[in-house]
Amino acid sequence: MFKFLARAPLHDPAQSDTARTEVKTTTCYMCACRCGIRVHLRDGEIRYIDGNPEHPLNKGVICAKGSSGIMKQKSPARITQPLLRKSGSDRGAGEFEPISWERAFTLLTERLARLRATDPKKFALFTGRDQMQALTGLFARQFGTPNYAAHGGFCSVNMAAGMIYTVGGSFWEFGGPDLDRAKLFVMIGTAEDHHSNPMKIAISKFKRGGGRFISINPVRTGYSAIADEWIPIRPGTDGALFMALLHELIGAGLVDRSFLQRYTNAPQLVVLDEGEREGLFAFDPAAGPPGDGRNPHNKLAWDLTIGGAVAAYPQGVEDGRVLAIEGHFTLPDGTRVAPAFQLLRERVAATTPEWAEAITGIPAERIRKLAGEIGETALTGGYELPIAWTDAWGKRHETTQARPVAFHAMRGLAAHSNGFQTVRALAVLMSVLGTIDAPGGFRHKAPYPRHIVPNYRAFNDPAMVKPNTPLNAAPLGFPASPEELAVHEDGTPLRIDHAFSWEHPLSAHGLMQNVITNATRGDPYRIDTLLIFMANMAWNSTMNTTAVREMLNARDNKGEFKIPFLVVCDAFQSETVAFADLVLPDTTYLERHDVMSMLDRPISEFEGPVDSVRVPVVPPSGNCKPFQEVLIELASRLKFPAFTNADGTRKFRDYPDFVVNFQSQPGVGFLMGWRGKDGTEHLRGEPNPKQWEMYARNNCVFQYHMPEDQQFMRNWNRPYLDFAMQKGWRQKNDPVQLAIYSDTLQSFRLAAQGKTRGRQPPDALRGRIGEYFDPLPFWYPPLEDACTDPKEYPLAAITQRPMAMYHSWDSQNAWLRQIHSHNYLHVNPATALAAGIADGGWCWVESKWGRVRCMVRHSEAVEPGTVWTWNAIGKASGAWALAPDADESRLGFLLNHLITEELPFGSGRISNSDPVTGQAGWYDVRVRIRPAAPADHTQAERNA
């Protein structure tokens, strides 16, 4: 019995019974960081979760989310059995009857078999923040539907595509800042949830070592709060800042000329004469067809030592050559040309700091100082490491040049309709400083860098959508020219989301945010079955939330749903689950097998490839099944060729068996550790029947350390390029020249201008493509600015994911709700007081598209022209098994209600997305704030 002020301890740790305690290792999934964890169990019950100190990613560090994973198992929002919507009930009412898995499989198999035998594209599979896209994409390809996409289109495809099309890799899983060797770290547009624990570890070590940290962000939270300097910037204007920095660096000569000459296309000659080759690289007809994004070799450069043109490679990299990166020249046939870098110099001539100040709000003098600091640190502060390496043309370099300025950026740049060109500008900025895969700069992570353009063509042939026939290519990929678009002869989209069409040609991840609107409208056709996994498309994963919820329940003139059959797989009772016709109960990450694979999204480190797994630490709750198992079962029942033997019997017993035995090419599978029949081969080898056991015995992770001479300059590193091709990561061992100038973009522009004889865009889209597919980076205002009066709506509104939650996954987590149970609108005090709104007061935040009522918090840590809030904490009443009076629905709000999924375009409408990639323009919305009376519940209203 507890005694007040008694000396006896409440708990004596010396008396704890640890004999019954068991510790299992696995991989966290409380965010996308994928840290190693230890799960402590007693009598089969989870008692505690901590970080695994033997894991290479987080080295034992764990965050609030990771340690609270135990509450995922205890959540009252768990779905534990398959559910079928009751006949006659409306979607959204959440009225279900429990059914068996066999009935669920029978319903799905019969329906999907009919679609596959008649019109496969009437089935659409769209997945949220999953990490097994190699499996889900394979399922869609084997089914024969082009209508597959993952979360990237509404998350960060601008970041991925903008950098991959420029330097061959990107931030986060694909690469990142080398803070161990940097002196200056510049972070732009990054919230605290991205690469959370490893980034915290790296920044802590960097600052203790005397490194200088600058954060450029509209909001000073998370990482930015510990920066040495915070530079506030207006949302959507980062590209203007980068263009001004390029103006200053190039003007002052603070560029790495030798790097540009040897490792980029800066010296390659661009045709200036009008015609079908205008803006493309000049080539030697005698050497074969012209170089392009897939085959870049036949291009010319100007050698100043001989005063004439030479083949850029290999002649241009021979000793004694001095390639021009500036000037204008004339080829022997009279063609006027200029090096790509000369065109960049001309592009940035007008992008002065004064020009950028008017756009970004950053004083011109601060921009000049920042440019000087970046340039001087990278070049004057550069140093050499005694690491010898051999480049792709056989030249041995006795040292490796460090460029100690590291950048990091994420969705703050990506989630704008101008994000692709903004990210391109950042990638070019890093390139002219010579920081790409250099010590102290941006470094790749295996299997990157990819070729520019990656040798992965997205499916694009309408004639190949045939009954009972797999597609001849994966649904997602990287187009290199208009000929690779997924369009019909008349230029109309092949896919329901309009990905890889003339509307969004380089949509490498698809446009998940378009699916419900397009399918309801029948644009370009009606679908029958939509299967959604781990995507809350009726709430925080969609724009124009109220209207989209109405669309999910919309019926045609026959009284039938416009989307006839909606299947949702989730572990919890999200807002979207209530709209499903069939609910498939998923497991938690602690109850299933998973792979973080080199075929998908590995957790590689700079020093070498790393993959990891999850293994069940507790059995599935109730009657749950992992979605991976569901796909394996459906694929086997539907007799997909990749999943069945010649006699029609199933090839794989279950998902773990599939992971071990599936091979994308001989010796290459989902996992690279402990391959071979006896588990002694790594990276490539025969399937090992005990591979899962070996991962489980080794902290569920495999790490391979590459030799030191392969760890840097991988775009041009001969041993690495050969090694990567040998291990199946690359199709070619060609060097990856950085694309300061993108002839791929120019090929689309020429088509739009009618200067080429191949595929042509619809007339209504010619001007759009001609404007935005500029081969050089440039800044333009977000598309919403053209249809919203900035005087009427003077503020930018953005969201961030809080450090203690990820998406909407954990608003029902009992521990994490104690940190955040509702959200506020954070406003600069001067802005709020000018609107007559006190700290803690209520306001209406209004856009052209809708308004919500919310509480305000004054904060000096927000740029005066910006308001922001945490994303996904506000919930729909009744969702996630929360009480009707829960803070999440009573006080919380969702800013998505204010964002439109489409914008006016000509006489119609078009997706509110980047015109190059289809990245959703989450952060483009303009708002105003007005005082409001206090309310028992927040309210959302949609404007007509």
Side-chain angles (χ1 to χ4, degrees):
M1 181 177 179
F2 173 70
K3 297 180 180 179
F4 184 64
L5 296 180
R7 289 181 174 272
L10 291 177
H11 169 66
D12 184 358
Q15 300 301 314
S16 294
D17 180 6
T18 59
R20 292 179 293 135
T21 299
E22 179 184 12
V23 179
K24 295 183 179 181
T25 61
T26 187
T27 305
C28 189
Y29 201 11
M30 294 298 285
C31 75
C33 195
R34 300 162 297 173
C35 297
I37 55 173
R38 300 184 301 192
V39 182
H40 301 250
L41 302 100
R42 183 175 296 172
D43 299 331
E45 290 283 329
I46 300 174
R47 308 301 295 170
Y48 182 70
I49 297 174
D50 63 354
N52 184 352
E54 298 181 16
H55 197 278
L57 190 71
N58 60 309
K59 301 176 177 63
V61 174
I62 196 168
C63 68
K65 297 188 297 294
S67 60
S68 67
I70 184 173
M71 301 311 292
K72 252 186 166 38
Q73 302 303 116
K74 306 292 185 181
S75 171
R78 287 292 303 273
I79 306 168
T80 58
Q81 59 188 350
L83 303 171
L84 187 67
R85 185 174 54 82
K86 290 183 178 179
S87 178
S89 67
D90 282 343
R91 288 178 180 165
E95 298 177 1
F96 299 106
E97 60 175 291
I99 61 172
S100 68
W101 269 109
E102 184 54 37
R103 187 179 176 196
F105 279 129
T106 299
L107 283 170
L108 271 176
T109 303
E110 292 176 353
R111 192 173 195 105
L112 295 182
R114 173 174 53 81
L115 295 179
R116 189 167 186 258
T118 53
D119 189 353
K121 70 178 181 296
K122 287 187 174 292
F123 169 61
L125 169 60
F126 289 83
T127 73
R129 192 60 178 89
D130 77 275
Q131 293 161 355
M132 53 169 186
Q133 293 165 25
L135 170 61
T136 52
L138 176 65
F139 185 94
R141 180 175 180 176
Q142 288 283 299
F143 188 94
T145 180
N147 292 320
Y148 163 81
H151 82 290
F154 61 68
C155 181
S156 57
V157 69
N158 272 337
M159 181 58 66
M163 288 191 68
I164 288 172
Y165 274 87
T166 307
V167 301
S170 181
F171 286 115
W172 205 359
E173 287 111 331
F174 311 150
D178 181 11
L179 296 188
D180 281 348
R181 298 171 182 85
K183 299 178 181 178
L184 174 64
F185 179 38
V186 182
M187 177 180 278
I188 315 105
T190 304
E192 51 263 40
D193 64 313
H194 280 115
H195 211 45
S196 176
N197 289 331
M199 184 60 69
K200 295 171 196 169
I201 296 169
I203 292 176
S204 176
K205 182 179 178 182
F206 173 76
K207 285 180 66 70
R208 286 199 305 269
R212 176 163 157 75
F213 175 20
I214 298 174
S215 173
I216 303 172
N217 201 305
V219 177
R220 188 172 194 177
T221 62
Y223 304 129
S224 300
I226 62 168
D228 296 293
E229 182 180 5
W230 171 50
I231 302 177
I233 188 172
R234 295 168 184 157
T237 68
D238 308 86
L241 172 63
F242 301 147
M243 297 302 289
L245 293 174
L246 282 166
H247 169 95
E248 289 294 294
L249 291 170
I250 293 173
L254 289 172
V255 299
D256 189 338
R257 295 183 69 88
S258 61
F259 181 91
L260 290 168
Q261 288 168 326
R262 190 173 187 88
Y263 303 123
T264 81
N265 66 12
Q268 294 174 13
L269 301 176
V270 179
V271 174
L272 303 181
D273 295 337
E274 291 188 13
E276 65 179 353
R277 296 292 305 170
E278 179 184 354
L280 298 179
F281 288 109
F283 71 105
D284 178 5
D292 59 18
R294 295 241 183 257
N295 301 285
H297 303 294
N298 189 7
K299 297 178 181 179
L300 301 178
W302 193 268
D303 184 1
L304 293 172
T305 59
I306 65 171
V310 296
Y313 306 102
Q315 279 182 282
V317 294
E318 294 172 348
D319 287 344
R321 302 283 186 184
V322 180
L323 300 185
I325 62 172
E326 289 135 337
H328 290 79
F329 308 98
T330 302
L331 299 179
D333 64 1
T335 302
R336 296 182 305 113
V337 294
F341 186 79
Q342 173 66 31
L343 301 183
L344 177 64
R345 175 184 282 277
E346 294 170 7
R347 168 60 53 85
V348 303
T351 61
T352 64
E354 285 75 19
W355 167 83
E357 177 180 357
I359 297 167
T360 65
I362 303 173
E365 190 53 40
R366 185 64 194 90
I367 296 174
R368 286 193 180 87
K369 181 181 176 184
L370 179 62
E373 186 173 3
I374 290 171
E376 292 291 343
T377 305
L379 299 170
T380 306
Y383 56 91
E384 294 183 350
L385 294 179
I387 300 173
W389 65 286
T390 302
D391 72 22
W393 305 280
K395 182 177 177 64
R396 179 175 171 82
H397 302 260
E398 296 302 327
T399 60
T400 299
Q401 178 66 58
R403 296 293 180 209
V405 174
F407 294 85
H408 187 57
M410 275 306 299
R411 293 185 74 239
L413 270 60
H416 292 282
S417 55
N418 61 9
F420 176 83
Q421 289 289 4
T422 292
V423 172
R424 274 266 296 149
L426 174 60
V428 169
L429 173 64
M430 294 192 296
S431 298
V432 302
L433 293 169
T435 69
I436 303 303
D437 217 38
F442 167 85
R443 292 182 63 193
H444 293 296
K445 299 178 182 179
Y448 289 82
R450 298 295 194 196
H451 194 70
I452 303 173
V453 175
N455 293 302
Y456 298 94
R457 296 169 174 83
F459 174 77
N460 56 31
D461 185 358
M464 280 299 298
V465 182
K466 298 177 180 178
N468 295 322
T469 304
L471 304 180
N472 64 347
L476 303 179
F478 297 88
S481 72
E483 304 310 309
E484 296 183 10
L485 292 181
V487 294
H488 294 280
E489 286 295 323
D490 62 358
T492 56
L494 171 61
R495 294 171 48 116
I496 189 66
D497 60 355
H498 297 192
F500 305 107
S501 75
W502 288 106
E503 292 179 19
H504 310 284
L506 306 187
S507 44
H509 293 168
L511 280 81
M512 193 168 175
Q513 70 272 17
N514 283 10
V515 174
I516 292 170
T517 299
N518 290 355
T520 303
R521 188 183 293 147
D523 176 16
Y525 45 78
R526 296 285 295 273
I527 63 172
D528 177 270
T529 298
L530 173 59
L531 172 54
I532 296 174
F533 169 63
M534 200 188 286
N536 198 2
M537 299 305 294
W539 197 247
N540 61 285
S541 293
T542 195
M543 300 169 168
N544 198 8
T545 309
T546 302
V548 168
R549 290 161 70 88
E550 292 170 358
M551 292 176 200
L552 287 171
N553 214 15
R555 299 176 185 261
D556 60 21
N557 54 15
K558 296 180 181 179
E560 303 294 329
F561 286 118
K562 290 186 176 181
I563 301 177
F565 198 62
L566 177 63
V567 185
V568 176
C569 182
D570 208 317
F572 303 100
Q573 297 171 24
S574 73
E575 285 85 354
T576 302
V577 165
F579 288 83
D581 297 302
L582 176 64
V583 180
L584 306 177
D586 192 23
T587 57
T588 70
Y589 69 101
L590 297 173
E591 300 170 344
R592 66 168 179 253
H593 291 90
D594 259 339
V595 292
M596 279 55 72
S597 166
M598 290 291 286
L599 301 183
D600 201 340
R601 308 180 75 93
I603 59 168
S604 295
E605 293 289 279
F606 299 139
E607 292 75 20
V610 186
D611 64 8
S612 59
V613 302
R614 296 188 182 97
V615 295
V617 297
V618 290
S621 299
N623 206 10
C624 297
K625 284 185 184 295
F627 186 56
Q628 299 94 319
E629 293 284 0
V630 172
L631 290 184
I632 299 297
E633 181 66 28
L634 286 172
S636 302
R637 293 188 181 212
L638 292 166
K639 299 190 182 304
F640 291 173
F643 292 82
T644 51
N645 299 306
D647 62 358
T649 57
R650 63 188 299 156
K651 187 178 292 185
F652 306 109
R653 181 178 62 254
D654 51 21
Y655 178 64
D657 186 50
F658 169 80
V659 168
V660 167
N661 291 296
F662 175 82
Q663 297 183 77
S664 61
Q665 51 183 299
V668 177
F670 275 83
L671 295 174
M672 62 181 177
W674 300 285
R675 299 192 68 82
K677 290 185 177 180
D678 57 358
T680 58
E681 300 176 45
H682 298 303
L683 305 183
R684 190 165 192 165
E686 289 183 81
N688 169 19
K690 296 186 177 181
Q691 192 175 31
W692 281 103
E693 297 173 32
M694 292 182 173
Y695 269 86
R697 289 201 302 267
N698 289 276
N699 292 303
C700 293
V701 64
F702 172 79
Q703 182 174 25
Y704 178 86
H705 289 275
M706 298 185 305
E708 195 174 45
D709 69 344
Q710 296 180 21
Q711 293 184 14
F712 300 97
M713 305 297 281
R714 276 165 283 194
N715 294 61
W716 319 276
N717 186 310
R718 171 52 58 205
Y720 174 78
L721 293 169
D722 293 342
F723 172 77
M725 188 174 75
Q726 179 192 16
K727 300 307 178 186
W729 305 338
R730 296 175 53 83
Q731 296 178 17
K732 299 180 180 180
N733 63 349
D734 295 344
V736 183
Q737 299 304 99
L738 309 185
I740 302 295
Y741 182 98
S742 175
D743 53 343
T744 294
L745 295 177
Q746 180 66 6
S747 71
F748 286 90
R749 171 182 267 186
L750 289 173
Q753 294 170 342
K755 295 179 179 178
T756 52
R757 288 168 286 184
R759 279 181 165 172
Q760 300 287 301
D763 288 344
L765 293 169
R766 288 186 184 273
R768 172 181 165 100
I769 296 165
E771 180 176 359
Y772 299 117
F773 275 73
D774 196 305
L776 289 167
F778 73 108
W779 180 83
Y780 58 90
L783 299 185
E784 185 165 325
D785 284 14
C787 55
T788 302
D789 184 349
K791 294 182 179 179
E792 189 174 358
Y793 300 97
L795 303 174
I798 61 173
T799 61
Q800 294 190 84
R801 288 197 290 264
M803 191 177 291
M805 289 183 185
Y806 194 73
H807 295 285
S808 58
W809 294 356
D810 290 300
S811 292
Q812 87 291 353
N813 187 299
W815 287 0
L816 296 179
R817 288 186 68 212
Q818 297 177 55
I819 302 173
H820 300 285
S821 66
H822 64 91
N823 52 326
Y824 296 92
L825 188 72
H826 297 271
V827 186
N828 187 282
T831 305
L833 293 173
I837 305 167
D839 185 26
W842 286 79
C843 84
W844 286 106
V845 54
E846 304 172 290
S847 74
K848 184 176 179 179
W849 322 107
R851 67 176 188 167
V852 294
R853 180 161 28 196
C854 55
M855 285 190 289
V856 167
R857 279 296 184 204
H858 292 185
S859 173
E860 296 282 357
V862 55
E863 187 269 327
T866 302
V867 298
W868 74 277
T869 189
W870 299 127
N871 183 40
I873 291 181
K875 295 296 178 194
S877 181
W880 300 91
L882 296 172
D885 61 348
D887 285 354
E888 284 81 356
S889 58
R890 187 173 60 88
L891 302 176
F893 65 99
L894 187 72
L895 206 64
N896 301 43
H897 290 300
L898 309 184
I899 307 172
T900 180
E901 85 279 24
E902 293 185 312
L903 296 171
F905 183 75
S907 59
R909 299 179 70 78
I910 201 165
S911 177
N912 181 14
S913 305
D914 190 291
V916 180
T917 65
Q919 162 83 56
W922 291 108
Y923 297 162
D924 291 348
V925 66
R926 308 288 305 180
V927 302
R928 64 190 177 200
I929 55 177
R930 299 283 187 273
D936 291 333
H937 288 77
T938 58
Q939 299 176 27
E941 299 176 2
R942 180 160 53 98
N943 292 342

